[in-house]
Amino acid sequence: MATITTTLADVVRDAARPLTGHQEDYDDLMELIGDARVVLIGEASHGTHEFFHERARITRRLIEEKGFSVVAVEGDWPDCYRVNRFVRGHGPDASADAALSDFQRFPAWMWRNVDVLTFVDWLRGYNDSLAEGRPRVGFYGLDLYSLYASMHAVVDYLERVDPEAARRARYRYACFDHFGEDAQAYGFAAEVGATRSCEDEAVQQLQELRLRAGEYAFRDGGVPEDEHFYAEQNARLVKNAEEYYRSMFRRRDASWNLRDAHMAETLGALVDHFDGERGGERTRVVVWEHNSHVGDARATEMGDQGEWTVGQLARERFGGDAVLVGFSTFSGTVTAADDWDAPARRKQVRPGLAGSYETLFHGAELPNFLLPIRAEEELADALRAARLERAIGVIYRPETERLSHYFNASLSEQFDAVIHIDETTAVVPLEPTREWHAGEGRAPDTFPSGI
């Protein structure tokens, strides 16, 4: 009698839910999410069309079917708040393109791309369709790179509600003025002792804004309540970003942990704010970030090195009410740069390395599929042993791919579900560069040997 050997690829194939583009594609994911309050959806690169597109499809269902009312992304708080005003029907912007125009800092394509534009347009239309009194869905940024933009936003807010307080804020924030709005130059100078730290001024400004928030909220001719929250979060961002830019010149895990702690703190602040605004109604948030932030660091070598992530911190706060969803791809193209601040390019993604999750999923011989790991005990057991996992950020260096873009992880501990798109395409920037149009072409038939 012949012996049938079940391989790991067979286990994956049997558990996979094929994605065909139909409405019911993510029914099993919706069931897995259930009544969870926070759903974090990742991406295996910052420049892949399918990751943005599928994440938007899932988010639309979460909003329409499960009442999610907050979208929080790996973007800067002031830039995203302009989008928030637009999707809620406030502010001067007449189009999604205009609302996204504050995303000028590298990598602009991460948010100024066709997929995000389409989603923001949809979100504005969805909010406009809601009956009067129904809460509108908001769009918020979790990141902390906007040190100077956030200082300007705090002062601008105070100019409207308390000009004398605005004068004090300008005086405090003048501590940063010697660096021409170069946050890294400030951080280096402060860390090595070439200039004094502005930490005390940043903390004092946040404390004053918090103490007077109630007073400002009830002033005549007042500013919308959400604007007080917006200003306070900007002041908190200044405090955290000041420390972050100093920490960049210490060990890597110091700056990483400060950044992810800030993003997790901002996520918690959004939940608390809207819970209070809506009389204790359970606010539900969907988060868009890279896999390396969304996944649980304790299941990866990042955690072994002392780093934590938003996904880990969300699980610690929300427990089973936090669902973590990752993405992967085997090959295709990606929008990325050669170096920081370099032009966006359309690059070829090399096929997954032997022994990686990407190659394992490619071996399942299904083009696109969902793996509901939390709901499939056999699958979870099969994916518990550590394997290589790829992460492409805004920079992609295929010539050093193993060192630059792979780490070891236990997928079933890192995520509750994973979506695999076997061959992916580069996200299209709203302002594609000449370098992006040129692309790289396909990898040679002799890759990787070159023979």
Side-chain angles (χ1 to χ4, degrees), residues 125-143:
Y126 175 82
N127 280 338
D128 286 349
S129 73
L130 295 175
E132 191 68 32
R134 288 275 305 280
R136 270 49 181 170
V137 180
F139 187 95
Y140 300 90
L142 299 176
D143 226 330

Side-chain angles (χ1 to χ4, degrees), residues 21 58 67 71 76 103 163 205 277 323 355 364 451:
I58 296 166
V71 179
D76 290 332
F103 289 99
Q205 186 55 52
E277 189 178 78
V323 174
I451 298 171

Side-chain angles (χ1 to χ4, degrees), residues 211-280:
L211 283 171
R212 308 193 73 176
E215 173 191 342
Y216 295 153
F218 294 102
R219 287 200 169 180
D220 289 340
V223 175
E225 183 180 352
D226 213 27
E227 296 290 321
H228 301 285
F229 176 65
Y230 167 65
E232 183 177 319
Q233 294 310 305
N234 270 308
R236 185 176 60 80
L237 188 152
V238 172
K239 178 188 79 70
N240 289 345
E242 185 278 329
E243 184 178 4
Y244 171 80
Y245 281 108
R246 285 189 287 112
S247 75
M248 289 178 67
F249 302 95
R250 306 172 198 160
R251 287 173 38 187
R252 179 185 184 276
D253 62 341
S255 59
W256 177 277
N257 287 349
L258 275 168
R259 183 180 172 213
D260 274 52
H262 171 83
M263 292 194 286
E265 186 181 351
T266 305
L267 172 61
L270 286 164
V271 170
D272 293 341
H273 172 70
F274 287 109
D275 276 0
E277 189 178 78
R278 296 166 187 172

